[in-house]
Amino acid sequence: STVSWPAASNASRTHGEAGLVAQPRIEERLTQVASATEISAAPDAIFPHVNSLEKAAAWSPWLKRDPATKLTFEGPAEGVGNKMTWMSENAQVGSGAQEITASQPGERVESTLNFDGMGTSTAWFVLVPEGAATKVTWSLDADMGNNPIGRWMGLMMDRWVGADYESGLANLKALVEGG
């Protein structure tokens, strides 16, 4: 499946079972990446795994890359205000913070990500029932700024983040369907 974005673009790709669309252009500040998969479960069975950053750690593609990542959790155990900070020596994981900023039970979770030294992004999950299954879309918006190097990095978001989103969704699918 493919996620369509309303923003203009000349780039669109689809990968594997999960749909992935990245639409960066060098002249655009905003980079959008999205990956989607279908999980054989109701939205209510999936929602707790995306509405708690501590529970999300169980299927995170980045924590599998560096199991020694130091995690700290603050605020409520789930929903708005649930916050996680991470620190890793692994450059592919890095350090930063994530906080859930909006939560609609069984439907959507939005969070702000602050990557140390790389700025702030917005990520979200959307859960849409499709018969006995649920389409789960994991998306990211990143403002790459006016710097040409930042804009070039925006062009690489598909490669850098897209594959991790697909891996994370596959982990989430295995966790929910196996559990």
Side-chain angles (χ1 to χ4, degrees), residues 102-166:
S103 177
Q104 298 169 325
E107 295 178 16
R108 181 181 174 96
V109 175
E110 186 171 315
S111 63
T112 299
L113 291 132
N114 184 340
F115 302 99
D116 286 354
M118 296 185 68
T120 302
S121 300
T122 302
W124 64 94
F125 291 91
V126 175
L127 310 177
V128 178
E130 292 188 349
T134 301
K135 180 179 179 182
V136 180
T137 304
W138 189 4
S139 304
L140 174 82
D141 277 352
D143 185 339
M144 305 312 291
N146 289 320
N147 181 321
I149 294 172
R151 300 271 176 103
W152 176 84
M153 289 176 68
L155 293 173
M156 302 304 293
M157 291 296 278
D158 174 24
R159 185 175 307 167
W160 293 337
V161 177
D164 288 336
Y165 272 25
E166 287 185 11

Side-chain angles (χ1 to χ4, degrees), residues 43-179:
D44 289 343
I46 301 164
F47 188 74
H49 299 284
V50 298
N51 193 46
S52 165
L53 298 172
E54 193 164 359
K55 287 183 180 176
W59 55 267
S60 167
W62 298 285
L63 295 179
K64 288 185 186 297
R65 186 171 291 143
D66 181 8
T69 300
K70 292 184 176 99
L71 301 176
T72 304
F73 299 93
E74 299 174 36
E78 61 185 27
V80 175
N82 180 226
K83 183 177 182 180
M84 173 182 72
T85 57
W86 71 92
M87 291 177 24
S88 171
E89 300 287 327
N90 183 325
Q92 292 181 331
V93 177
S95 299
Q98 181 174 8
E99 183 173 354
I100 296 176
T101 56
S103 177
Q104 298 169 325
E107 295 178 16
R108 181 181 174 96
V109 175
E110 186 171 315
S111 63
T112 299
L113 291 132
N114 184 340
F115 302 99
D116 286 354
M118 296 185 68
T120 302
S121 300
T122 302
W124 64 94
F125 291 91
V126 175
L127 310 177
V128 178
E130 292 188 349
T134 301
K135 180 179 179 182
V136 180
T137 304
W138 189 4
S139 304
L140 174 82
D141 277 352
D143 185 339
M144 305 312 291
N146 289 320
N147 181 321
I149 294 172
R151 300 271 176 103
W152 176 84
M153 289 176 68
L155 293 173
M156 302 304 293
M157 291 296 278
D158 174 24
R159 185 175 307 167
W160 293 337
V161 177
D164 288 336
Y165 272 25
E166 287 185 11
S167 175
L169 286 173
N171 295 341
L172 176 62
K173 179 180 176 85
L175 176 69
V176 171
E177 290 180 355

